[in-house]
Amino acid sequence: MLLLQVQNLSFRYPNALEPLFQNVNFTLYSGDKVALLGHNGSGKTTLLNLLTNDLTPDEGTVIRSGSMLVIRQDDRLETNQTLREALLNPVLLELYQKMTTMEKAGLPDPLEYASLVHMFTEQGGFEQLQNIEEDLTALGFSLESLNESVMNLSGGERRLLKLASAFLQVPDVLILDEPTNYLDERATNYLVNQLETFSGACLIVSHDRWFLDQSVSKVLELEHHKVTEYTGNFSVFRNTKENTFKQKVRQKEKLESEISKLQETERSYKVWGGRKEKEKSGAYDKGFIGARAARLQKRAVIAKERIRGNIETLEREKLWIDKHYDISIDNVSVPSGTCLVVQNISFSYTDKEQQDSFVLADVSLTLEWGERLALRGNNGSGKSTLIKLLLGELQARRGDILWSKGLRLGYLPQLWQSPSVATAAELFSKEEAQRARTMLGSLHVKGELFYAPLESLSEGQKRKVSLVRLILSNPNVLILDEPTTHLDYESVEMLEAALANYKGTLILVSHDKYLQERLTQREVRLEW
């Protein structure tokens, strides 16, 4: 069943020199799981706003059939209801609240209560309650916590509840904007499983390559003001794109070779034509030789014009190929031997000394210089606490943390931390500015954005500024906490390449399984 049809969609922001995109066409049918990709600033969020009627297109139409639900990047469940109540649909919730109110009052009217129970059963209420319990326990919530207020939960837990509520509502079209941001491995697997059985159409904006490989069968890429459709998951899309790029390079090289040959022929005709003109002007017989030279000169001019036309045609046929610049962490001085020793550290956020009050208990690890470690564990297992202990922001109750001499520590936090300066340019010295601009340009933070107010940048653009600032500090130890959050897939791949060539020590916290597999040598898993 056709659920969403986009026809010739174009949009340009006021005062913009050119459209953000134009002539966008695609369709979504029941069961479609489609990724929407594009670098930060390419127009993905704007396109989503057009699909949801939050913006009006300059041209084109969006035809919707059935219900649509959008879960945006920062959406969380915001309610004082209990977890059970928050996830029931509105009709069932009203019946459920009447039933629980009567139960607390001792069933003053048994007949009315029986009627409520009957209606709740007929409309699938108990089945939905069972689904809620199964989903939330699979996500790590206890049965006791289902009666707690949603507002008592952390932001990450409320984000997870918002995603769970989407599948319980069963919309016809579900739009997910960066759904795996801040999710742990267990929650990401839950999301993959839910999408497998979801009967509606789903459009997903995500940079998580492993997640996209498991969940989508089609990719829409927003690039150069247009949308191109690819069949297959992320890996198939990436291979197709790479092969297309190589084919374009070969085609461009062939055309450039042909142009070079024609230009050489053009120069030869010019020289030859000039020589004949001299013969004509210097000839003794101004009749026969002069006429012949004139004819030859005319032929040379015609040939030159034909070649020039061929050159211009070939120039128009030459494909535009984006220039790719690598980002790298250079001039890193890496000592030898042991970099870090963690000896039996324990930590609690309370003054209690009971074992169950400790977030971390008797944690030990040793890390050599140049080693790469993945720090893994579900949300709440203590990863962020351990990082703060390593950074010296917290002090362990027991145990020791010993760093080697010669340490140059670089840290990328999970959340943007606003600096005291106004623009990206102010974060870099005069010596760093040119390289910073080149690196940010390769990450699609270009032109005047370098001097724009930081707060006007998108979350992805701010993330890239933080990364470039970190890279230029030349650390020999990197602690990265979810470094790919808010990044587009191209930037993730560039970061991965830079880290693959990094000579220093790496401690990585990431839900990106591909990043973990390709960059780390061993893992420490924290259990809670």
Side-chain angles (χ1 to χ4, degrees), residues 259-273:
I259 290 170
S260 180
K261 291 176 182 177
L262 287 172
Q263 287 173 336
E264 182 62 34
T265 304
E266 182 185 28
R267 285 191 292 270
S268 299
Y269 270 117
K270 183 177 181 180
V271 172
W272 183 74

Side-chain angles (χ1 to χ4, degrees), residues 206-414:
S206 178
H207 64 274
D208 190 323
R209 298 164 295 174
W210 179 87
F211 168 69
L212 291 176
D213 267 350
Q214 311 307 311
S215 57
V216 306
S217 56
K218 186 162 63 176
V219 172
L220 301 173
E221 186 184 31
L222 185 51
E223 185 180 42
H224 300 315
H225 315 295
K226 64 178 183 178
V227 166
T228 304
E229 184 174 311
Y230 299 83
T231 300
N233 62 13
F234 177 84
S235 290
V236 173
F237 152 75
R238 200 68 191 90
N239 289 337
T240 303
K241 189 107 188 274
E242 184 65 25
N243 291 334
T244 301
F245 174 77
K246 291 177 181 178
Q247 184 179 354
K248 284 183 177 180
V249 170
R250 288 193 296 269
Q251 185 177 349
K252 184 179 181 183
E253 289 173 347
K254 180 181 178 182
L255 289 174
E256 287 175 341
S257 176
E258 291 181 26
I259 290 170
S260 180
K261 291 176 182 177
L262 287 172
Q263 287 173 336
E264 182 62 34
T265 304
E266 182 185 28
R267 285 191 292 270
S268 299
Y269 270 117
K270 183 177 181 180
V271 172
W272 183 74
R275 187 182 302 127
K276 293 302 177 185
E277 183 65 28
K278 287 181 180 180
E279 290 178 3
K280 172 184 173 183
S281 59
Y284 291 106
D285 182 349
K286 298 296 182 180
F288 175 73
I289 297 178
R292 182 172 180 272
R295 288 197 302 273
L296 293 173
Q297 171 68 2
K298 183 177 180 180
R299 284 168 54 191
V301 170
I302 293 171
K304 180 182 172 184
E305 289 176 350
R306 185 178 69 251
I307 291 170
R308 171 48 47 187
N310 291 340
I311 290 173
E312 291 173 355
T313 300
L314 291 174
E315 287 284 3
R316 287 194 297 269
E317 291 177 359
K318 270 201 319 188
L319 297 168
W320 171 262
I321 298 177
D322 290 326
K323 294 181 179 179
H324 292 275
Y325 299 96
D326 293 330
I327 58 175
S328 58
I329 310 172
D330 301 326
N331 305 319
V332 177
S333 175
V334 183
S336 59
T338 301
C339 172
L340 170 67
V341 176
V342 177
Q343 295 178 324
N344 299 316
I345 61 167
S346 298
F347 181 83
S348 172
Y349 285 99
T350 70
D351 294 330
K352 297 178 181 179
E353 290 294 329
Q354 290 88 343
Q355 190 70 14
D356 60 1
S357 69
F358 284 99
V359 178
L360 297 171
D362 299 320
V363 174
S364 297
L365 67 94
T366 301
L367 201 57
E368 301 298 311
W369 280 105
E371 197 170 4
R372 299 158 174 272
L373 177 73
L375 190 58
R376 301 184 66 177
N378 291 322
N379 291 342
S381 61
K383 299 189 300 296
S384 296
T385 300
L386 179 55
I387 287 176
K388 290 178 181 178
L389 289 165
L390 296 178
L391 294 171
E393 295 178 4
L394 295 174
Q395 297 299 315
R397 290 290 189 87
R398 298 194 297 263
D400 296 299
I401 297 175
L402 305 172
W403 285 103
S404 170
K405 291 181 180 180
L407 173 72
R408 285 177 58 88
L409 182 60
Y411 169 55
L412 183 72
Q414 186 173 148

Side-chain angles (χ1 to χ4, degrees), residues 107-161:
L107 301 183
D109 189 339
L111 290 178
E112 183 182 356
Y113 178 76
S115 176
L116 290 172
V117 170
H118 177 73
M119 286 189 289
F120 192 73
T121 304
E122 286 293 307
Q123 296 182 44
F126 288 107
E127 183 180 351
Q128 189 169 118
L129 281 177
Q130 183 178 354
N131 291 337
I132 290 171
E133 289 186 3
E134 289 176 353
D135 283 358
L136 295 188
T137 52
L139 289 170
F141 293 95
S142 66
L143 288 175
E144 293 77 15
S145 69
L146 302 190
N147 296 316
E148 295 180 8
S149 170
V150 168
M151 297 310 293
N152 291 338
L153 302 176
S154 69
E157 289 172 325
R158 285 187 282 122
R159 165 74 173 166
L160 190 52
L161 287 177

Side-chain angles (χ1 to χ4, degrees), residues 416-419 421-423 452-459 462:
W416 166 257
Q417 296 179 344
S418 297
V421 298
T423 68
L454 281 169
E455 294 309 311
S456 70
L457 302 183
S458 69
E459 292 301 317
K462 291 176 184 176

Side-chain angles (χ1 to χ4, degrees), residues 90-108:
V91 175
L92 291 173
L93 175 61
E94 184 179 356
L95 293 172
Y96 179 75
Q97 288 176 330
K98 288 180 180 178
M99 288 164 52
T100 53
T101 299
M102 294 188 72
E103 288 167 1
K104 291 175 182 177
L107 301 183

